[in-house]
Amino acid sequence: FTKISRMDICDYLQSVVDSENMQVDRNALESIAILADGGMRDALSMFDKAVSFCNANLQYKQVAETLNVLDYDTYFTVTDLLLAGNYVDTLLLFDEVLSRGFSPQVFISGLNAHMRDLLMAKGPAVSLVEFTGTLVERYKAQAAACNELFLFNAIALLTEADGKIRQSSNQRLLVELGLMK
Protein backbone atom coordinates (compact mmCIF):
# COMPACT_ATOMS: atom_id res chain seq x y z
CA PHE A 1 0.00 0.00 0.00
CA THR A 2 1.41 3.33 -1.03
CA LYS A 3 0.11 6.84 -0.65
CA ILE A 4 -1.80 8.32 -3.55
CA SER A 5 -0.37 11.60 -4.82
CA ARG A 6 -2.21 14.84 -4.15
CA MET A 7 -2.54 15.37 -7.88
CA ASP A 8 -4.17 11.97 -8.39
CA ILE A 9 -6.57 12.59 -5.49
CA CYS A 10 -7.48 16.00 -6.91
CA ASP A 11 -8.00 14.55 -10.38
CA TYR A 12 -10.26 11.79 -9.05
CA LEU A 13 -12.28 14.27 -6.97
CA GLN A 14 -12.53 16.47 -10.07
CA SER A 15 -13.99 13.53 -11.99
CA VAL A 16 -16.61 13.13 -9.24
CA VAL A 17 -17.35 16.86 -9.45
CA ASP A 18 -17.71 16.66 -13.23
CA SER A 19 -19.99 13.62 -13.10
CA GLU A 20 -22.25 15.35 -10.57
CA ASN A 21 -22.28 18.70 -12.43
CA MET A 22 -20.96 20.57 -9.41
CA GLN A 23 -19.04 23.83 -9.21
CA VAL A 24 -15.84 23.42 -7.19
CA ASP A 25 -12.79 25.57 -6.69
CA ARG A 26 -9.63 23.51 -7.49
CA ASN A 27 -7.97 24.89 -4.34
CA ALA A 28 -10.79 23.33 -2.31
CA LEU A 29 -9.97 19.94 -3.81
CA GLU A 30 -6.25 20.46 -3.11
CA SER A 31 -6.94 21.22 0.55
CA ILE A 32 -8.92 17.99 0.80
CA ALA A 33 -6.07 16.08 -0.88
CA ILE A 34 -3.54 17.54 1.57
CA LEU A 35 -5.66 16.55 4.55
CA ALA A 36 -6.22 13.07 3.14
CA ASP A 37 -2.45 12.51 3.22
CA GLY A 38 -2.47 9.92 0.46
CA GLY A 39 -5.71 8.15 1.41
CA MET A 40 -8.45 8.16 -1.20
CA ARG A 41 -11.07 6.90 1.25
CA ASP A 42 -10.26 9.79 3.59
CA ALA A 43 -10.41 12.23 0.69
CA LEU A 44 -13.84 10.98 -0.39
CA SER A 45 -15.11 11.14 3.18
CA MET A 46 -13.92 14.74 3.59
CA PHE A 47 -15.32 15.64 0.18
CA ASP A 48 -18.69 14.20 1.18
CA LYS A 49 -18.63 16.17 4.44
CA ALA A 50 -17.76 19.38 2.60
CA VAL A 51 -20.55 18.84 0.08
CA SER A 52 -23.08 18.18 2.83
CA PHE A 53 -22.17 21.46 4.57
CA CYS A 54 -21.45 23.64 1.55
CA ASN A 55 -23.84 22.16 -1.03
CA ALA A 56 -22.79 21.69 -4.65
CA ASN A 57 -20.75 24.91 -4.93
CA LEU A 58 -17.54 24.27 -3.00
CA GLN A 59 -15.24 27.23 -2.51
CA TYR A 60 -11.85 27.01 -0.83
CA LYS A 61 -12.73 29.22 2.17
CA GLN A 62 -15.92 27.27 2.92
CA VAL A 63 -14.13 23.93 2.70
CA ALA A 64 -11.33 25.16 4.95
CA GLU A 65 -13.86 26.27 7.56
CA THR A 66 -15.93 23.08 7.27
CA LEU A 67 -12.90 20.81 7.63
CA ASN A 68 -11.28 23.08 10.24
CA VAL A 69 -8.18 23.71 8.13
CA LEU A 70 -5.94 26.73 8.49
CA ASP A 71 -6.11 28.28 5.04
CA TYR A 72 -3.20 29.10 2.72
CA ASP A 73 -3.95 32.81 2.89
CA THR A 74 -2.95 32.84 6.55
CA TYR A 75 0.49 31.45 5.77
CA PHE A 76 0.98 33.74 2.79
CA THR A 77 0.04 36.73 4.94
CA VAL A 78 2.30 35.67 7.81
CA THR A 79 5.20 35.27 5.40
CA ASP A 80 4.58 38.71 3.88
CA LEU A 81 4.51 40.22 7.37
CA LEU A 82 7.71 38.43 8.37
CA LEU A 83 9.47 39.58 5.19
CA ALA A 84 8.42 43.15 6.01
CA GLY A 85 9.75 42.78 9.57
CA ASN A 86 6.29 43.50 10.95
CA TYR A 87 6.28 41.22 13.98
CA VAL A 88 3.48 43.15 15.72
CA ASP A 89 0.92 42.34 13.02
CA THR A 90 2.38 38.83 12.78
CA LEU A 91 1.69 38.29 16.48
CA LEU A 92 -1.81 39.74 16.13
CA LEU A 93 -2.52 37.38 13.24
CA PHE A 94 -1.19 34.45 15.29
CA ASP A 95 -3.56 35.51 18.11
CA GLU A 96 -6.44 35.51 15.63
CA VAL A 97 -5.48 31.98 14.52
CA LEU A 98 -5.53 30.83 18.15
CA SER A 99 -8.89 32.49 18.74
CA ARG A 100 -10.29 30.50 15.79
CA GLY A 101 -9.46 27.34 17.72
CA PHE A 102 -6.23 26.25 16.07
CA SER A 103 -3.41 24.99 18.25
CA PRO A 104 0.06 26.55 18.22
CA GLN A 105 1.38 23.18 16.98
CA VAL A 106 -0.93 23.18 13.94
CA PHE A 107 0.10 26.74 13.14
CA ILE A 108 3.85 26.17 13.43
CA SER A 109 3.74 22.91 11.51
CA GLY A 110 1.74 24.50 8.70
CA LEU A 111 4.02 27.54 8.56
CA ASN A 112 7.05 25.26 8.38
CA ALA A 113 5.49 23.33 5.48
CA HIS A 114 4.72 26.65 3.79
CA MET A 115 8.35 27.78 4.12
CA ARG A 116 9.53 24.44 2.71
CA ASP A 117 7.21 24.80 -0.26
CA LEU A 118 8.49 28.34 -0.84
CA LEU A 119 12.07 27.05 -0.86
CA MET A 120 11.13 24.35 -3.37
CA ALA A 121 9.28 26.91 -5.52
CA LYS A 122 12.44 29.02 -5.90
CA GLY A 123 13.96 26.91 -8.62
CA PRO A 124 14.10 23.62 -10.44
CA ALA A 125 12.69 21.78 -7.41
CA VAL A 126 9.28 23.41 -8.00
CA SER A 127 8.01 19.99 -9.11
CA LEU A 128 8.31 18.96 -5.44
CA VAL A 129 5.59 21.46 -4.57
CA GLU A 130 2.45 19.38 -4.90
CA PHE A 131 0.08 22.17 -5.86
CA THR A 132 -1.34 23.13 -9.21
CA GLY A 133 -2.72 26.13 -11.03
CA THR A 134 -2.97 29.49 -9.35
CA LEU A 135 -1.66 28.19 -6.04
CA VAL A 136 1.68 27.18 -7.58
CA GLU A 137 1.90 30.63 -9.14
CA ARG A 138 1.30 32.22 -5.73
CA TYR A 139 4.10 30.12 -4.27
CA LYS A 140 6.45 31.09 -7.09
CA ALA A 141 5.63 34.78 -6.66
CA GLN A 142 6.16 34.75 -2.90
CA ALA A 143 9.29 32.60 -3.25
CA ALA A 144 10.76 35.24 -5.56
CA ALA A 145 10.39 37.78 -2.73
CA CYS A 146 12.27 35.54 -0.27
CA ASN A 147 15.98 35.00 -0.20
CA GLU A 148 17.22 31.49 0.43
CA LEU A 149 18.92 32.40 3.71
CA PHE A 150 15.60 33.67 5.11
CA LEU A 151 13.88 30.42 4.12
CA PHE A 152 16.66 28.16 5.44
CA ASN A 153 16.72 30.06 8.75
CA ALA A 154 12.92 30.03 9.01
CA ILE A 155 12.74 26.29 8.36
CA ALA A 156 15.49 25.57 10.89
CA LEU A 157 13.87 27.76 13.54
CA LEU A 158 10.37 26.39 12.92
CA THR A 159 11.59 22.80 12.91
CA GLU A 160 13.32 23.37 16.25
CA ALA A 161 10.22 25.01 17.72
CA ASP A 162 8.01 22.22 16.37
CA GLY A 163 10.19 19.67 18.14
CA LYS A 164 10.04 21.58 21.43
CA ILE A 165 6.37 22.51 21.37
CA ARG A 166 5.09 19.22 22.76
CA GLN A 167 7.13 19.59 25.96
CA SER A 168 6.60 23.33 26.32
CA SER A 169 4.54 24.58 29.22
CA ASN A 170 3.80 27.76 27.25
CA GLN A 171 3.33 26.82 23.60
CA ARG A 172 2.03 30.24 22.65
CA LEU A 173 5.14 31.99 23.93
CA LEU A 174 7.39 29.49 22.16
CA VAL A 175 5.68 30.23 18.83
CA GLU A 176 5.64 33.98 19.47
CA LEU A 177 9.38 34.00 20.17
CA GLY A 178 9.97 31.99 17.02
CA LEU A 179 7.96 34.43 14.96
CA MET A 180 9.87 37.39 16.36
CA LYS A 181 13.24 35.73 15.64
Side-chain angles (χ1 to χ4, degrees), residues 93-111:
L93 182 56
F94 176 56
D95 182 63
E96 178 187 318
V97 167
L98 294 178
S99 70
R100 290 178 13 215
F102 294 99
S103 74
Q105 171 120 33
V106 165
F107 175 80
I108 203 143
S109 175
L111 184 58

Side-chain angles (χ1 to χ4, degrees), residues 102-171:
F102 294 99
S103 74
Q105 171 120 33
V106 165
F107 175 80
I108 203 143
S109 175
L111 184 58
N112 201 7
H114 181 77
M115 294 296 177
R116 178 257 181 213
D117 289 339
L118 287 173
L119 184 62
M120 296 301 112
K122 282 195 75 63
V126 72
S127 64
L128 297 176
V129 178
E130 294 188 61
F131 300 113
T132 59
T134 58
L135 196 52
V136 155
E137 296 308 314
R138 271 185 88 183
Y139 271 99
K140 286 180 181 178
Q142 191 169 59
C146 302
N147 69 51
E148 287 181 8
L149 183 60
F150 168 80
L151 292 172
F152 280 121
N153 288 338
I155 291 167
L157 195 120
L158 291 167
T159 300
E160 180 182 341
D162 192 27
K164 291 179 178 178
I165 203 163
R166 288 172 191 84
Q167 296 89 15
S168 178
S169 62
N170 192 341
Q171 293 182 348

Side-chain angles (χ1 to χ4, degrees), residues 17-29:
V17 165
D18 294 342
S19 71
E20 296 295 323
N21 294 321
M22 299 170 63
Q23 297 296 317
V24 177
D25 176 16
R26 180 71 178 196
N27 291 337
L29 298 180

Side-chain angles (χ1 to χ4, degrees), residues 77-94:
T77 301
V78 166
T79 303
D80 287 339
L81 292 170
L82 292 173
L83 288 170
N86 186 346
Y87 71 89
V88 172
D89 285 342
T90 302
L91 295 176
L92 291 172
L93 182 56
F94 176 56

Side-chain angles (χ1 to χ4, degrees), residues 2 4 8 31 70 73 77 160 172:
T2 60
I4 301 169
D8 288 342
S31 66
L70 196 50
D73 292 333
T77 301
E160 180 182 341
R172 179 186 184 126

